[in-house]
Amino acid sequence: MGAEKNLPPGSAAMLVLSLLEEGDKYGYQMIEELERRSDNTFAFKAGTLYPLLHTLEQQGCVTAYDGEPEKNRPRRYYRLTPKGRKKLMEMKAQWNSL
């Protein structure tokens, strides 16, 4: 079981939005980066990440676009929106108050 299941509600979204604050990324890239930065504590599965990204997209916090394929594999990139940046700031403030 990954540690992300034990996080307070909204924490997974905060982690993803924080990654996107640094620049556009595709899903697998986010999974790898979270694992690397957390020393494999957070091992998101695609079945966890992509529904979260779709929810954030529906909320207007991220936008998605198709980038140039790498090695014949299409890449769908995600970008933080101004609304997502504001939500991230609010989440960080709540986290810091804990």
Side-chain angles (χ1 to χ4, degrees):
M1 177 182 342
E4 66 276 2
K5 292 185 180 183
N6 298 320
L7 290 171
S11 298
M14 185 175 71
L15 290 172
V16 169
L17 292 174
S18 292
L19 282 177
L20 293 175
E21 184 178 35
E22 300 168 358
D24 301 358
K25 292 179 178 46
Y26 57 89
Y28 186 68
Q29 185 180 21
M30 285 184 257
I31 289 170
E32 287 183 324
E33 188 66 16
L34 284 170
E35 285 180 12
R36 185 187 66 75
R37 290 186 186 187
S38 69
D39 200 20
N40 295 314
T41 299
F42 298 109
F44 279 50
K45 303 284 186 221
T48 301
L49 179 64
Y50 287 106
L52 175 59
L53 286 168
H54 292 215
T55 298
L56 290 169
E57 189 175 14
Q58 289 172 348
Q59 293 172 349
C61 295
V62 301
T63 58
Y65 63 94
D66 294 326
E68 290 295 317
E70 291 181 23
K71 299 179 184 176
N72 294 325
R73 297 184 79 185
R75 300 278 189 220
R76 186 148 185 87
Y77 286 84
Y78 295 87
R79 174 180 293 151
L80 189 64
T81 65
K83 184 176 181 179
R85 193 170 306 281
K86 181 179 177 188
K87 181 174 179 127
L88 176 59
M89 288 175 31
E90 291 168 359
M91 293 171 129
K92 284 181 178 181
Q94 287 176 345
W95 183 266
N96 289 332
S97 70
L98 293 175

